[in-house]
Amino acid sequence: MKMKGQMSISNATIDRLPLYFRTLRLAQDEGIDIISSDELGRRLGITPEQIRKDLASFGQFGKKGVGYYVNELKRNVGEILGLNNHWNMAVVGIGHLGSALANYQNFVTLGFRLVALFDQDPNVIGTTVNHVKVEDIRNVNRIVKERNIHIGIIAVPAAFAQGVADQLVEAGIRGIWNFAPIKMQVPESMHIVNEDLSIGLSSLSYHITRK
Amino acid sequence: MKMKGQMSISNATIDRLPLYFRTLRLAQDEGIDIISSDELGRRLGITPEQIRKDLASFGQFGKKGVGYYVNELKRNVGEILGLNNHWNMAVVGIGHLGSALANYQNFVTLGFRLVALFDQDPNVIGTTVNHVKVEDIRNVNRIVKERNIHIGIIAVPAAFAQGVADQLVEAGIRGIWNFAPIKMQVPESMHIVNEDLSIGLSSLSYHITRK
DNA sequence: TAGATTGTTAATCGATTAACAATC
DNA sequence: TAGATTGTTAATCGATTAACAATC
């Protein structure tokens, strides 16, 4: 997907793209063929100018005086997000959260594929979660290569997260999605998204404290 | 907790406070008495200027030439975030994700209390998750009042989320933490934090697509 | 054509970074 | 005192909003 010039895209923009994608899919389900930035904005609580600006940083996807063709725009946004790559994912740490992530159906809808699960507990290794067998974490290097795993999801306790990240990086993973509440050290080239659940909850606490 | 003047605090700042809190607790565990913005920044990958600015918007917590007293700063940041309020929480939707959230130990560490679980499935109602019994969603209004529930966690499928939000608002909840991938309509006064897991994952996909 | 709506440029707003006086 | 480090003001940077020409 082409970007305009060298200009780099803000994270704020990138984080809105999945919202556009989701809303476009819903519109598609409703049988809507054409949608305006106004209507998209109304559905998402985002200003239409913002949406046009976001989309325009990747290309000209709309028709002046008309709007955006839903199918076409959805395809383009999906392509921008790399969802057509059908990334292979592995979950490390099959506790409560890890199991829930392994079962999360929305990932499938987005084209992500769950191809491996890892744990260190002998009582968990060998069990099956969402039709995938839990492997011994000691085999992570071999299995990441064998199954061509691109994304590692870390759902282990904070104390073990850095060790797991090191092993995943060593095995040649492309990106890490980290649920452990810890700032990890990874090589510059490695992409890592931290999903620290206590941030959202604390932010909520902050706001309701002041109401 | 006093704020300086009328100046409102940016969400970016508020979202960093839980990181400071976490790091301060770790420092406390290590027996560190005093910490500088430099050291805090090093541990979190945030510039020391940013940290000083964030903290300074709430008061003068440090000592020039010395640094910040860990215990004192942690107490202050906790107070700012409202963590000493010991909010009562309920999870609605006891599927894979809801169960995982009900079992999430980090919330307890932050002072949040899980006091109720709700579902609509007769096979789930009456079961126990993390020592809390699952109630029939039809009793949500009464139980929210009886148990003085402040925060509702929505972990139901997208199609049911708006309905659940309406019921929670009606019952007098203070804030909603929403895991359903949908933009919900709630009254202006209601605080809502959306934790759409597919955003983080899509963002990761975007970045590794370009490496 | 007239009305609608995009894409883009300019203006504004807000957040981060830099600099440094205050002071422990 | 000298060195260290905060708190705050000013400068920069980046993101959002406004405005409007292009055009379907």
Side-chain angles (χ1 to χ4, degrees):
Chain A
M1 178 53 40
K2 66 162 180 287
M3 252 192 259
K4 300 176 77 184
Q6 307 299 78
M7 178 182 8
S8 96
I9 311 295
S10 80
N11 280 327
T13 293
I14 294 157
D15 285 355
R16 280 188 294 265
L17 295 180
L19 304 181
Y20 303 158
F21 188 81
R22 186 180 85 196
T23 307
L24 289 165
R25 193 170 50 207
L26 291 174
Q28 217 174 28
D29 292 348
E30 293 170 33
I32 296 171
D33 286 332
I34 295 177
I35 198 164
S36 66
S37 57
D38 238 76
E39 174 61 13
L40 265 174
R42 204 190 53 69
R43 293 187 179 213
L44 282 167
I46 296 175
T47 65
E49 296 84 358
Q50 181 81 85
I51 293 171
R52 293 205 299 276
K53 195 104 209 288
D54 283 344
L55 296 175
S57 45
F58 294 99
Q60 308 193 161
F61 302 127
K63 260 205 163 37
K64 294 180 184 186
V66 178
Y68 300 91
Y69 291 102
V70 173
N71 291 335
E72 197 187 315
L73 185 57
K74 173 169 167 277
R75 186 169 38 73
N76 276 300
V77 174
E79 205 183 318
I80 293 166
L81 286 172
L83 299 180
N84 51 339
N85 287 89
H86 295 287
W87 302 109
N88 294 330
M89 307 196 300
V91 178
V92 184
I94 312 304
H96 294 293
L97 184 59
S99 302
L101 293 169
N103 279 292
Y104 202 59
Q105 292 313 309
N106 294 339
F107 300 156
V108 180
T109 324
L110 292 168
F112 295 93
R113 290 191 290 224
L114 183 75
V115 299
L117 303 174
F118 296 98
D119 205 290
Q120 59 156 195
D121 182 346
N123 296 314
V124 176
I125 295 165
T127 62
T128 293
V129 178
N130 195 15
H131 315 296
V132 180
K133 205 175 115 195
V134 180
E135 306 284 344
D136 191 324
I137 183 66
R138 282 179 291 193
N139 300 324
V140 67
N141 198 301
R142 173 172 56 78
I143 293 172
V144 162
K145 282 161 183 151
E146 275 175 10
R147 303 188 193 170
N148 190 26
I149 296 171
H150 308 106
I151 294 175
I153 304 178
I154 297 184
V156 302
F160 300 106
Q162 181 67 60
V164 166
D166 293 345
Q167 286 175 281
L168 289 172
V169 168
E170 167 73 21
I173 215 101
R174 305 269 296 267
I176 291 176
W177 196 24
N178 173 44
F179 283 81
I182 183 182
K183 160 87 179 168
M184 296 190 298
Q185 305 301 324
V186 291
E188 273 291 318
S189 62
M190 183 62 38
H191 273 290
I192 179 159
V193 168
N194 290 300
E195 198 84 51
D196 186 341
L197 295 182
S198 54
I199 293 176
L201 187 56
S202 299
S203 157
L204 188 56
S205 169
Y206 173 89
H207 287 293
I208 62 179
T209 298
R210 280 160 189 76
K211 257 284 154 70
Chain B
M1 176 54 41
K2 66 163 182 288
M3 252 192 259
K4 302 177 74 185
Q6 307 300 79
M7 176 181 8
S8 96
I9 311 295
S10 80
N11 280 328
T13 293
I14 294 158
D15 285 356
R16 280 187 294 264
L17 294 179
L19 304 181
Y20 303 158
F21 188 81
R22 186 179 85 196
T23 307
L24 289 164
R25 193 172 50 209
L26 290 175
Q28 218 174 27
D29 292 348
E30 292 171 32
I32 295 171
D33 287 332
I34 296 176
I35 198 164
S36 65
S37 58
D38 238 76
E39 174 62 12
L40 266 174
R42 203 191 53 69
R43 292 187 179 213
L44 281 166
I46 296 176
T47 65
E49 296 84 359
Q50 180 81 85
I51 293 171
R52 294 205 298 279
K53 196 103 209 288
D54 284 344
L55 296 175
S57 44
F58 294 99
Q60 307 194 163
F61 301 126
K63 259 203 164 38
K64 293 181 183 187
V66 178
Y68 299 91
Y69 290 101
V70 174
N71 291 334
E72 198 187 314
L73 185 58
K74 173 168 167 279
R75 186 168 39 73
N76 276 299
V77 173
E79 207 182 316
I80 293 167
L81 287 172
L83 299 180
N84 52 338
N85 287 87
H86 295 287
W87 302 109
N88 294 330
M89 305 194 302
V91 178
V92 184
I94 312 304
H96 293 294
L97 184 58
S99 302
L101 293 169
N103 278 291
Y104 202 58
Q105 292 313 307
N106 293 341
F107 299 156
V108 179
T109 324
L110 293 168
F112 294 92
R113 290 191 290 225
L114 182 76
V115 300
L117 303 175
F118 296 98
D119 206 289
Q120 58 156 196
D121 182 346
N123 295 315
V124 176
I125 295 166
T127 63
T128 293
V129 178
N130 196 16
H131 315 297
V132 180
K133 206 175 114 198
V134 180
E135 307 284 344
D136 190 324
I137 184 66
R138 283 179 290 192
N139 300 322
V140 67
N141 197 301
R142 173 172 58 78
I143 294 173
V144 162
K145 282 160 182 153
E146 277 175 8
R147 303 188 192 171
N148 189 26
I149 296 170
H150 308 105
I151 294 174
I153 305 178
I154 297 184
V156 301
F160 300 106
Q162 181 67 60
V164 167
D166 293 345
Q167 287 175 279
L168 289 172
V169 169
E170 167 73 20
I173 214 99
R174 306 269 296 267
I176 291 176
W177 196 23
N178 173 44
F179 283 81
I182 183 180
K183 159 89 179 166
M184 295 190 297
Q185 304 301 323
V186 291
E188 273 291 317
S189 62
M190 184 62 38
H191 272 291
I192 180 158
V193 168
N194 291 301
E195 198 85 52
D196 186 341
L197 295 181
S198 55
I199 293 176
L201 187 56
S202 299
S203 157
L204 188 56
S205 170
Y206 173 90
H207 287 293
I208 62 180
T209 298
R210 280 160 188 74
K211 256 285 153 66

